């Protein structure tokens, strides 16, 4: 397909004027960085195949920014990405690299860009990776042009601004729901109360949506703004109602599943301790257990949704680079209308906007964070026993 300027839609920033010349056959590096996320491989596959099909040479950069600094770049061919959509993790490897934040690290990255003759880099990752991408875009190619850099959001936490979903989120939610279904079998068999803690760093998204989908009885997430005391008394009430015959229910439920987001600083152990202290006299048969799902939530084969989204973001990212865009991220967010786009669900945002929105999302001050809380509150009756 011939690509013409203007096929990629919405850009909402001062950087939108920064359009570099089209490149002919060039060299494009791909890196995955930060916490791995299921679907990263689908993005690597798509970016590789699209770039090769358009006549570019592709280098896989091993272990994110660390590999860039260490010169671990390997040429990629169709054969290197054949089957990889089926695997979780990232075939390129990942790392959290601090050296790149320092001037010496940036100078070394500049040397590597020259050494390997890179014209552009696609960075697949979350907050830290995209912050690095913005720094990368300040480097210069051997042709004397700014290095073209495109970000693709990938983080199970769904804490990247400007995108409604990041790669890995859908798989992580499905993994949590599957795990809670299994835990619920034991909870039901033994009349138990389970506190299930899920990843997400500062962001409660995974716990919130998984709680709805898995029919949990309560969910704790930082964005609710509830104090620890309020959370504890709410849980106490929830458990009491479940084990008390009568009440609002014709029969006791005798099992409770509570989802707790990692970002809630009240520990799961403390919640268990509180429930035991407060309720064991009243409900002598009460048995509480804690399960921390941890890194289990980050692995596994990506869902079709994650593969599809990653493939489409990878496609747009490469074409955008070729078309002279830089310091931007391909986001999964339908255009608002009237824009000419090459993918109806993908928009480009400059990295400054993305990183500002990301910070606000993580601080729970952004409109998106507020909407998520409203979404949960709107279905609050689902949690009532
Ligand atoms: O950002 C993804 C994530 O899995 C978070 O949910 C979690 O807080 C963090 O990474 C764990 O990081 P690490 O794997 O370095 O322990």
């Amino acid at each position: 397909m011939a690509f013409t300027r203007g096929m990629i839609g919405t850009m909402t920033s001062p950087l939108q004027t920064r359009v570099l010349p089209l490149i002919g056959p060039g060299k494009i590096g791909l890196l995955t960085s930060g916490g791995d996320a299921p679907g990263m491989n689908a993005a690597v596959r798509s970016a590789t195949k699209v770039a090769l099909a358009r006549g570019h040479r592709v280098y896989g950069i091993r272990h994110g920014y660390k590999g860039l600094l260490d010169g671990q770049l390997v040429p990629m061919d169709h054969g290197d990405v054949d089957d990889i959509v089926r695997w979780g993790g990232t075939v390129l490897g990942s790392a959290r690299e601090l050296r790149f934040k320092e001037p010496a690290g940036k100078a070394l990255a500049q040397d590597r860009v020259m050494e390997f003759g890179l014209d552009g880099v696609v960075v697949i990752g979350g907050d830290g990776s995209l912050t690095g991408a913005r720094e990368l875009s300040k480097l210069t190619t051997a042709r004397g042009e700014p290095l073209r850099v495109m970000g693709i959001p990938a983080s199970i936490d769904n804490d990247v601004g400007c995108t409604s979903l990041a790669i890995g989120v859908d798989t992580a939610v499905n993994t949590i729901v599957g795990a809670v279904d299994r835990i619920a079998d034991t909870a039901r068999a033994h009349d138990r109360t389970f506190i299930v803690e899920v990843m997400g760093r500062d962001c409660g998204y995974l716990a919130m949506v998984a709680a709805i989908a898995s029919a949990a009885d309560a969910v704790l997430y930082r964005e609710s703004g509830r104090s620890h005391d309020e959370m504890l008394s709410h849980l106490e009430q929830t458990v009491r109602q479940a084990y008390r015959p009568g009440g609002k229910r014709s029969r006791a439920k005798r099992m409770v599943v509570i989802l707790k987001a990692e970002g809630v600083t009240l520990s799961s152990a403390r919640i268990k301790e509180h429930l035991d202290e407060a309720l064991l006299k009243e409900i002598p048969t009460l048995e509480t257990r804690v399960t921390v799902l941890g890194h289990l939530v980050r692995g596994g084969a990506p869902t079709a949704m994650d593969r599809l989204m990653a493939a489409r973001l990878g496609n747009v990212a490469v074409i955008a680079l070729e078309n002279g865009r830089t310091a931007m991220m391909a986001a999964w967010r339908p255009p608002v209308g009237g824009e000419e786009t090459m993918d109806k669900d993908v928009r480009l945002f400059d990295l400054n906007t993305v990183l500002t929105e990301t910070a606000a999302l993580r601080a729970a001050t952004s409109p998106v964070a507020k909407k998520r809380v409203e979404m949960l509150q709107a279905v609050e009756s689902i949690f009532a026993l």
Side-chain angles (χ1 to χ4, degrees), residues 133-211:
R134 183 170 59 182
E135 290 307 308
L136 266 189
S137 72
K138 296 174 185 163
L139 304 183
T140 309
T141 69
R143 301 179 201 241
E145 288 177 356
L147 181 69
R148 294 147 202 255
V149 181
M150 286 292 302
I152 295 181
S155 161
I156 61 161
D157 303 336
N158 215 19
D159 61 352
V160 178
C162 300
T163 189
S164 38
L165 278 177
I167 293 170
V169 175
D170 188 60
T171 307
V173 171
N174 278 283
T175 303
I176 295 169
V177 170
V180 172
D181 285 351
R182 286 169 169 77
I183 287 168
D185 288 343
T186 294
R188 197 179 307 108
H190 289 267
D191 292 350
R192 280 184 185 161
T193 284
F194 271 88
I195 301 141
V196 182
E197 181 169 327
V198 302
M199 273 193 171
R201 215 167 17 158
D202 306 328
C203 192
Y205 183 87
L206 289 180
M208 291 157 83
V209 298

